[in-house]
Each structure stands twice: as C-alpha cells, then as structure tokens.
Amino acid sequence: MKRVMKKFLAILGVPALLAATTATFAAQPESWQTRFQPPATPIMRQIEWFEAYTLWFIVPITLLVLALLAWCIIRYRASANPTPSRTSHNTMIEVLWTVGPVVVLLFIAVPSFQLLTAQYTPSEEPTMTVKATGVQWYWDYEYQYDEPLTFSSLMLQEGDREAAGKQDVAAYPRLLAVDNEMVVPVDTTIRLLVTGSDVIHAFAMPAFGIKVDAVPGRINETWFRAETEGLYYGQCSELCGKDHAFMPIAIRVVSAEQYESWLTAAQTDLEGANRNLMAQIESGKKLAAAGN
C-alpha cells in the first residue's frame, strides 16, 4: 500500500514540490515524472507556457477527430448504411478543412517563431562565455577569460563519492552526479558555445530550456540566464556510442560572490575550489535552517 501511495504522489508531482523546498538540489529527473522540470530560466518559462498554450489546440482537435471517426464508423457502417453515398465533394467541408487548419497554424506559428527567436537572441550582451566540448564520454569546459580556465567533467563513480564529499545521493544522484560541475553565477547572461571533438553529442539542460548539438568542426551558440541558485542536471541527448547513457551534465548556479571566489581558486586548484564552494553552500543552508 505504501508503495502504491508513493507512485500516486509521484504522478501528482508532489515529490518535485518537496524536492524544490527541502533538498539541496534545484532540478533533476524524478521517478514517474510526467511534466517538465521546474523552470530556472526565462526561456524555459516561455517553453512551459508555449506547451500549455498548444494544448488548447491539440486537445480539442484530437477530440474532434476522434468524435468524427466514431460518428463515421457508427453512422456509415455497412449494416446501417447498405447503400453507400456517392457524394464526391462538399464545398462547405472543403472550405472548413482548408481555412480551419490555416488559422490554427497561424495561432501556433506566431508565438513559436517568437520563442525560437528568443532562444537565440539574449536580452542583453552576455557577461561571460563558456565553451562546452563533447568527448566520448564526458564534457570539457573552457571559461573564456584573459586567463582561461579549462577542466573535464566526468560522471562520478560510486567508489569516488566519499573522496569527492558527495555521499548524499539525493543531491548527487547515481548516473547524474559528476566530479566537476560547471559553475556559473546566478542572474547572469551566459553565452554557451557547444562543439564536439569526435562524434556528434548534444548538450541538454531541461531546467534551462537548452538543447544544442555538439558537432565536430562546428561551434553552435546558445545562451541562458539562471534565476535560481542550485544544482541542475542534464545529459547528452544524441546517441554517441556505447557510454552515451553515462555522459551527464551538471551545472551549479551560485551567488556572484561565491562564483568569483571559486573562479579565483580554481585557476590554481580546481579540486580545492570545488570543496570550498560546497562547504560555503552547505554552511549557508545550515545558517538558513537555523534562522528558520
């Protein structure tokens, strides 16, 4: 009974709500998930709105087609209609099924084009640029400053959890946690350059509303502006070989002060910078919990 209740609550989306308020992560896949992850960027909120908007067209059209099929099956079945109609065309029907779809497509196309434009047009000039390179089977990140910071991000192996200080499976889930997260400041417009070094990969972060192919010899550009601090998970979304399923993406969004401190330390000691950042975040959560 308890197991059934857990599945029922999962379908209702209760775990996602609880995770957002009590856990240390911001967004990750949930069991029995039927909706999007909580949006963390303006673009993802627009995508969420557009999905709900299109349902107002898709659902009535689906029900209409279903009703018409049922009506034709029942009304014109052989036993009830032994002499088939020989009507070749109907002007009113021809007009309706031509004009109707055109109007519906216009209502869908206009906001669709607006969303597509927004996905490739930042509202302001990006403050920083990060290059993500897909490799079989991990990601290389390059922070493009005067003194570039580069590092690799591989899936965290179970035996390395303790050494990395990532024993909490809720915050660092199996097959999604990585050894080195991409760290970015909150409320900052970030240009993301995506490419591949060997085969085609794809950089996908559901909570940010981005999904970009990583093509060898080509650089694709997108952007994001995370509005909520936390740890977000995505995955390679292009079949890229035998370990495709073990190529996660993790982005940690922190305050501007924490980011500057991490960046300075990471130039000389990435592992130490990551540990200090995790300690700062954990300390902040304890203080917040004590304040409540």
Side-chain angles (χ1 to χ4, degrees), residues 160-216:
D160 297 333
R161 282 185 177 276
E162 185 174 357
K166 298 179 177 179
Q167 297 93 325
D168 185 358
V169 180
Y172 304 100
R174 178 177 175 271
L175 303 184
L176 286 177
V178 300
D179 54 358
N180 301 311
E181 296 91 5
M182 178 199 295
V183 179
V184 298
V186 71
D187 292 327
T188 302
T189 301
I190 297 165
R191 178 187 290 112
L192 181 65
L193 306 179
V194 182
T195 188
S197 67
D198 36 43
V199 299
I200 299 177
H201 303 276
F203 190 97
M205 182 56 63
F208 291 2
I210 58 176
K211 183 177 181 182
V212 186
D213 282 345
V215 183

Side-chain angles (χ1 to χ4, degrees), residues 44-266:
M44 188 57 206
R45 285 203 307 275
Q46 292 184 50
I47 293 173
E48 198 172 50
W49 173 87
F50 182 70
E51 185 262 350
Y53 172 78
T54 56
L55 286 178
W56 287 99
F57 298 93
I58 294 172
V59 172
I61 290 172
T62 301
L63 294 176
L64 174 63
V65 172
L66 180 63
L68 289 175
L69 283 173
W71 182 70
C72 289
I73 292 170
I74 296 171
R75 174 66 180 80
Y76 297 106
R77 67 188 189 277
S79 59
N81 191 49
T83 303
S85 171
R86 296 183 179 276
T87 302
S88 61
H89 70 278
N90 183 292
T91 303
M92 180 58 69
I93 292 177
E94 294 282 351
V95 171
L96 287 176
W97 72 26
T98 300
V99 175
V102 170
V103 172
V104 171
L105 288 175
L106 282 174
F107 273 96
I108 294 177
V110 172
S112 174
F113 292 151
Q114 291 175 336
L115 174 58
L116 185 63
T117 301
Q119 286 180 302
Y120 292 96
T121 309
S123 56
E124 61 183 17
E125 185 64 24
T127 304
M128 55 180 285
T129 300
V130 180
K131 181 180 179 182
T133 303
V135 187
Q136 289 180 313
W137 288 271
Y138 59 91
W139 293 92
D140 280 336
Y141 296 121
E142 178 184 334
Y143 289 67
Q144 298 190 345
Y145 293 106
D146 292 336
E147 296 183 11
L149 169 65
T150 62
F151 59 87
S152 298
S153 178
L154 288 81
M155 187 182 75
L156 183 67
Q157 301 299 319
E158 292 301 300
D160 297 333
R161 282 185 177 276
E162 185 174 357
K166 298 179 177 179
Q167 297 93 325
D168 185 358
V169 180
Y172 304 100
R174 178 177 175 271
L175 303 184
L176 286 177
V178 300
D179 54 358
N180 301 311
E181 296 91 5
M182 178 199 295
V183 179
V184 298
V186 71
D187 292 327
T188 302
T189 301
I190 297 165
R191 178 187 290 112
L192 181 65
L193 306 179
V194 182
T195 188
S197 67
D198 36 43
V199 299
I200 299 177
H201 303 276
F203 190 97
M205 182 56 63
F208 291 2
I210 58 176
K211 183 177 181 182
V212 186
D213 282 345
V215 183
R218 175 176 176 176
I219 295 180
N220 290 325
E221 180 177 332
T222 187
W223 69 280
F224 64 88
R225 182 187 179 90
E227 299 175 321
T228 307
E229 294 181 30
L231 186 53
Y232 299 86
Y233 290 104
Q235 289 177 300
C236 174
S237 295
E238 185 71 34
L239 187 61
C240 58
K242 70 179 184 66
D243 285 340
H244 163 67
F246 310 106
M247 193 173 169
I249 301 165
I251 299 180
R252 190 187 291 276
V253 181
V254 298
S255 68
E257 295 77 13
Q258 289 174 331
Y259 173 74
E260 290 298 332
S261 176
W262 172 85
L263 181 63
T264 302

